[in-house]
Amino acid sequence: MQIRRKLRSSGRMTAFLLCLFFAAYRQGLTQNQTVTPAFLKKPFRADAATRTFAQYAKMLREQCGISLIADGIPLKENAELEFDGTAKAALNRIADAFDFTWTTKSGIVLMNKRFKSKEERPQINLPEMRQMTKEIVEAFHSIKYNADPQQWKPMLQTLAQSFTREQAQTLLEGQTLQATQLAPQQRELLTQAIYTMTFARPLPAWEMLLYRLENISNSYLLAKPRIEQSEGDEPQIPFDLFYVSKDKNGKLLSETIPYSLQPKE
Amino acid sequence: MWRQSLVLFCQSLLSALLIGSLLSSVSAQTKDSAATSLSERLKTRISLEAGTPPLAELLATLSKQTGMTIQAESYLNSRTVFSQFDGISIRAVLDALAELNDWTWRDTGDNKILITRRRLRFPTEAAAVPRRIQASIPKDIRTFLKIPQPNADLTQYFSPIALVQTDTVENVKQHTFMLLNQVKAELIASLKPTEINGEPLRYKEMDALRQKNLLTILIFTNFEQVPYALLQSDLPPYAMNPASALLQLEGGTTLHVRTIIEDARRRTKIGFGTQVKMGNGEEKNP
C-alpha cells in the first residue's frame, strides 16, 4: 500500500517536473527564435524615383499589405530609392534614408526616429512639455535636501569642524575616511551635503521653466536693432533678440537669446 | 415551537443564500459579458489610409471604426503619428501605438480605452531621482539625448563614468548645441524687417512654427544645463549610496567627497570638495 502511494507521489512529482521542463523549453524556444513575420518576406519592387516617406509607405501597403506607424513625419522630404528584393530589405533602406529605426509589433511595422541626421528633431508640443517639466520638478522634490545650491559648502565646513581628533588625524595623514567611520549625525550631514550638491543646482532652472511654460501665453520676444556692432571677426545679426517673461513674483525677466551666425564646430 | 422557528430560520437562510448566489451569478454574468464584448470589440479590424494626423484625430477615427471611445491623456493629443492600417485588429493597433511611444493603454469600463504614458513605480530614494527624471521625458527626446530606457530596477546601474569614457556626453552636447542653433536661425530668419523694432512679438500671436521654435529653445536650453549624471545615467556611486563615500583632504585645507574607481587601465576620482577649516579634534556634535 505504502509502496503504491510512494510510486503515485513520485509519478506526480515526475509529471510536475516534466511540465516545468517543457514550459522552460518552450520559453527558451520563443526567446531564441527570432521569427520573421511572413509579410516581411514578400517581394517588393520599385523603379528608381524620388518619393516621399508617405509614398514609400503606401507602396509597401499596396505590394505587401504592410501596416505601419511612425513617430511623426521625417524632416527629410524625399529620397530616391530603387528596390528589387523583400519587404524587409526595403524597410531597412527606407528607414535608413528617412532616419528611422524600425521593428514590428503585432503585425505592424513601427518606425522611431533615430536622430542620426543632424537636421532631425523630436516633437515639441506645449502640453506634453508642461507635463514633462512638472514631473521633473516633482522628481527633484521627492527627496530631502537644502534647496539653496550653495549650502553644500557650509555643510562640509560644519562636517570638518565636527571631526574628532582621530578622524582629523586620519585625513591630515593623507588617508581616506569612509562615510561608515563617521558618527550617525556626521553621516547625515554628509548625505545632505551630497544631495544638496547633486540636486539643488539644476532645480531652479526647471522650476523657472515650469513657471514659464504655464504662463507662456503672456511672454513675448523683442528684436531690438543694434546701434553699434561689437568688435570681432564673427559676422553678427544686426539686432539683439530677447525673450521676456515674468517670474512667479511678477518680476519682469528679460533674457538674451544668444546666437552667432558662425556656429561653433 | 422551537422546531417551527428552526425550520423557518433555515428556510429564510436558504432563501437568502439562493438569492445571494443568483445575484452574484447575474453580476458575474454581466461582468463576463462586458469582458467578452470588450474582447470582441478589440478584434475589430481597422483599415486606414496613410496620414499624419495629431493623436487626438487618429483616435477619433479609430473610435468611429470600432464603436469604442478611445482617448489619450490630454497632454498627448498634439503628438503626430504617421499611420496606415490594412485590416489590423484594434488591439494590435493599440499595442503598436503603445510600443512606439513607450505608452500603455487600458480599458476604463463603459466601452472606453485610455492611452497613458507608461508609469514606473520608483522607490522614494535619492538613487531613483535620475530614473524618475528620465522616465518623464518623451521617448523621442530620450533617443535624441541618448537616455537609456528607464526601468525601476536600481540594481541595473548605468555608470556616469562609462558615459564620459564613451564620449556620449560630448556627442549629446554637440547635437543639442546644433539643434539650438538651427532653431534659433529659423526663428531669426522668420522675423520680418518691420518686426525688428523693439516692439513685443507676443507668443499667443505667433504662428505655430515660431511658437514651436521658441518652445524648443526654452526646453533644450534647460536640457543643456542638467548634469549628465541626472539625465543620461545614474548618480555617481558616492551619491547613489552616501554610505560608500570617501572623504579626502587635499593640500591640508580642501575636503573632498569622492568615489575612487580603479581598474587595470586607470584610477578615476569622481566627486566634489571645498575649502574647510578642520576641527580642533574636540568631541562635539555637528
Side-chain angles (χ1 to χ4, degrees):
Chain A
M1 192 70 166
Q2 262 186 345
I3 295 168
R4 200 180 290 169
R5 221 179 274 162
K6 268 185 188 171
L7 275 173
R8 205 181 293 159
S9 102
S10 71
R12 268 190 219 136
M13 183 59 85
T14 317
F16 176 68
L17 287 174
L18 272 172
C19 283
L20 274 182
F21 174 75
F22 184 66
Y25 176 71
R26 279 200 61 179
Q27 179 88 3
L29 265 187
T30 42
Q31 277 176 0
N32 291 330
Q33 283 176 350
T34 46
V35 182
T36 308
F39 63 84
L40 293 179
K41 292 176 187 164
K42 287 187 179 174
F44 182 77
R45 283 182 193 88
D47 296 334
T50 304
R51 298 179 184 92
T52 63
F53 175 72
Q55 285 169 329
Y56 285 117
K58 197 178 170 192
M59 288 167 71
L60 283 166
R61 184 186 180 180
E62 284 165 357
Q63 290 190 35
C64 313
I66 285 181
S67 294
L68 188 153
I69 56 172
D71 166 26
I73 36 170
L75 203 75
K76 186 174 178 177
E77 284 179 7
N78 49 50
E80 190 183 336
L81 299 170
E82 186 183 5
F83 306 96
D84 187 9
T86 60
K88 188 179 177 181
L91 279 164
N92 281 337
R93 291 186 56 208
I94 294 167
D96 189 52
F98 290 97
D99 203 19
F100 283 113
T101 56
W102 72 275
T103 180
T104 59
K105 172 89 183 174
S106 316
I108 301 175
V109 171
L110 316 183
M111 286 195 169
N112 283 96
K113 290 191 180 175
R114 62 178 184 185
F115 302 109
K116 201 171 163 183
S117 153
K118 302 292 176 214
E119 311 290 311
E120 200 53 77
R121 290 171 199 178
Q123 293 193 39
I124 301 285
N125 299 303
L126 181 58
E128 196 179 20
M129 292 301 100
R130 267 191 197 140
Q131 180 69 21
M132 173 192 80
T133 311
K134 187 171 155 255
E135 288 180 25
I136 290 177
V137 169
E138 281 169 3
F140 275 113
H141 282 299
S142 65
I143 52 150
K144 199 184 110 194
Y145 56 91
N146 194 311
D148 179 350
Q150 293 305 317
Q151 279 303 307
W152 63 269
K153 287 180 186 172
M155 285 175 182
L156 281 192
Q157 279 153 8
T158 311
L159 178 66
Q161 285 288 309
S162 77
F163 286 146
T164 62
R165 191 167 297 146
E166 289 74 23
Q167 288 171 334
Q169 198 58 38
T170 306
L171 288 169
L172 285 165
E173 282 171 4
Q175 292 173 30
T176 56
L177 193 63
Q178 292 186 341
T180 47
Q181 292 173 275
L182 299 175
Q185 280 176 302
Q186 289 177 318
R187 212 185 299 170
E188 176 57 27
L189 194 57
L190 174 65
T191 302
Q192 281 303 304
I194 290 172
Y195 290 169
T196 303
M197 163 68 192
T198 309
F199 301 119
R201 200 162 47 86
L203 175 62
W206 286 95
E207 283 183 324
M208 170 61 87
L209 179 65
L210 180 58
Y211 188 79
R212 276 183 169 163
L213 296 183
E214 281 173 348
N215 298 283
I216 200 162
S217 58
N218 297 321
S219 70
Y220 54 88
L221 284 172
L222 279 182
K224 282 187 186 172
R226 237 182 243 158
I227 299 162
E228 281 178 17
Q229 287 283 85
S230 59
E231 286 177 20
D233 295 333
E234 275 189 23
Q236 290 174 329
I237 49 169
F239 57 87
D240 288 314
L241 193 60
F242 299 93
Y243 177 64
V244 185
S245 61
K246 283 180 183 171
D247 72 5
K248 56 184 169 190
N249 302 314
K251 198 180 145 198
L252 215 59
L253 291 172
S254 177
E255 258 182 73
T256 316
I257 296 181
Y259 178 72
S260 151
L261 287 174
Q262 228 169 30
K264 283 178 199 168
E265 281 304 311
Chain B
M1 187 67 179
W2 67 272
R3 269 191 194 167
Q4 265 185 332
S5 312
L6 188 68
V7 169
L8 273 174
F9 173 74
C10 288
Q11 274 178 345
S12 13
L13 190 68
L14 275 172
S15 325
L17 282 172
L18 192 66
I19 291 166
S21 72
L22 273 173
L23 281 177
S24 70
S25 82
V26 166
S27 132
Q29 271 178 2
T30 319
K31 272 184 194 167
D32 281 352
S33 70
T36 314
S37 117
L38 176 76
S39 93
E40 281 306 312
R41 281 214 174 90
L42 286 172
K43 287 179 188 162
T44 311
R45 299 274 156 185
I46 300 290
S47 287
L48 204 63
E49 288 297 319
T52 315
L55 182 68
E57 212 174 284
L58 171 67
L59 297 184
T61 311
L62 297 179
S63 298
K64 209 177 272 180
Q65 286 200 25
T66 56
M68 292 193 284
T69 307
I70 306 171
Q71 288 172 327
E73 282 178 307
S74 60
Y75 60 86
L76 298 174
N77 280 335
S78 313
R79 283 198 76 90
T80 52
V81 183
F82 176 91
S83 50
Q84 69 172 29
F85 302 118
D86 196 10
I88 292 285
S89 77
I90 183 65
R91 182 189 282 276
V93 170
L94 291 169
D95 285 344
L97 263 176
E99 180 82 11
L100 183 77
N101 296 289
D102 210 6
W103 297 338
T104 183
W105 63 272
R106 65 174 195 272
D107 156 35
T108 55
D110 290 341
N111 206 25
K112 285 182 185 162
I113 299 287
L114 182 68
I115 297 174
T116 64
R117 271 216 349 254
R118 193 167 64 98
R119 289 200 166 80
L120 301 168
R121 283 171 191 265
F122 291 107
T124 48
E125 58 183 90
V129 173
R131 303 276 182 102
R132 290 190 62 181
I133 292 172
Q134 293 156 17
S136 309
I137 299 171
K139 188 176 175 180
D140 57 343
I141 301 186
R142 283 207 315 261
T143 308
F144 183 92
L145 295 171
K146 293 192 172 32
I147 296 172
Q149 167 91 10
N151 69 56
D153 179 7
L154 294 178
T155 58
Q156 290 176 25
Y157 181 63
F158 296 96
S159 164
I161 300 155
L163 260 181
V164 180
Q165 286 170 355
T166 54
D167 292 335
T168 307
V169 177
E170 205 40 53
N171 288 344
V172 170
K173 277 184 181 172
Q174 189 77 7
H175 205 168
T176 308
F177 176 82
M178 287 171 79
L179 169 77
L180 278 169
N181 232 30
Q182 283 167 15
V183 175
K184 285 175 188 175
E186 282 178 20
L187 187 66
I188 285 166
S190 77
L191 295 174
K192 297 172 195 129
T194 50
E195 290 177 319
I196 305 168
N197 57 5
E199 289 297 313
L201 304 165
R202 299 194 182 280
Y203 178 85
K204 53 187 169 193
E205 290 159 10
M206 291 177 190
D207 62 32
L209 184 63
R210 206 181 268 185
Q211 283 184 341
K212 194 158 277 194
N213 282 340
L214 179 56
L215 203 52
T216 307
I217 293 170
L218 295 179
I219 300 292
F220 276 87
T221 305
N222 246 52
F223 278 130
E224 262 195 327
Q225 292 167 15
V226 185
Y228 60 87
L230 290 177
L231 205 57
Q232 287 138 344
S233 68
D234 281 318
L235 297 176
Y238 66 80
M240 196 76 184
N241 174 19
S244 73
L246 297 175
L247 292 171
Q248 276 185 326
L249 198 65
E250 279 182 7
T253 56
T254 308
L255 184 65
H256 286 275
V257 179
R258 280 184 172 147
T259 297
I260 300 170
I261 298 159
E262 284 181 89
D263 59 29
R265 285 187 301 164
R266 66 186 109 188
R267 187 168 194 259
T268 313
K269 288 176 185 175
I270 179 167
F272 62 98
T274 188
Q275 288 223 322
V276 294
K277 268 187 190 167
M278 294 288 279
N280 56 12
E282 285 172 11
E283 294 283 348
K284 56 186 170 187
N285 288 329

